[in-house]
Amino acid sequence: QVQLVESGGGLVQAGGSLRLSCAVSGSISRINSMGWYRQAPGKQRELVASISVINNTNYADSVKGRFTISRNSAPNTILLQMHSLNPEDTAVYYCNIQHPTWGTPRYPWGQGTQVTVSS
């Protein structure tokens, strides 16, 4: 049973920074491509950043230059460093492992971590 646990969210003023962490537990035996997703109220969940097995990264246009995805020291744990936050970044942030073929989220979602940016 794979579990995804996100942490690090909170309330921050516009222009501020936060760092999110994602820990994966369960029967994961190798490095996987992973992604950070977010879902704002009334909107669909969207992919904001991803990191491949060889650490290539991709970002949604809305976060390019402000967010950085990276791997932590433990296998299949990732970070999301967020700078210059604005109210449009307010959402629940989730991580997931990406299916090796389809690139889609592979496991049930965790609880997520709430990020709220005040203006």
Side-chain angles (χ1 to χ4, degrees):
Q1 189 83 3
V2 173
Q3 288 190 315
L4 304 158
V5 180
E6 303 89 352
S7 62
L11 173 62
V12 63
Q13 289 188 331
S17 300
L18 282 173
R19 189 177 77 163
L20 307 184
S21 297
C22 166
V24 180
S25 63
S27 55
I28 301 293
S29 59
R30 60 181 180 88
I31 299 295
N32 293 269
S33 293
M34 297 186 68
W36 280 100
Y37 303 76
R38 69 184 181 187
Q39 187 166 21
K43 294 187 176 180
Q44 289 192 330
R45 194 164 354 217
E46 62 173 345
L47 177 66
V48 295
S50 62
I51 186 164
S52 74
V53 294
I54 57 172
N55 293 334
N56 290 330
T57 57
N58 281 290
Y59 299 92
D61 288 343
S62 59
V63 307
K64 275 181 185 175
R66 301 187 299 120
F67 290 12
T68 302
I69 187 171
S70 61
R71 292 190 183 274
N72 205 351
S73 55
N76 291 314
T77 62
I78 57 173
L79 305 174
L80 185 68
Q81 181 68 55
M82 307 186 293
H83 294 299
S84 302
L85 287 162
N86 58 63
E88 290 70 39
D89 296 316
T90 295
V92 180
Y93 285 70
Y94 304 86
C95 64
N96 213 317
I97 291 172
Q98 295 183 313
H99 192 282
T101 301
W102 312 115
T104 51
R106 188 168 185 182
Y107 293 103
W109 298 102
Q111 299 271 14
T113 186
Q114 175 71 49
V115 171
T116 303
V117 185
S118 63
S119 56

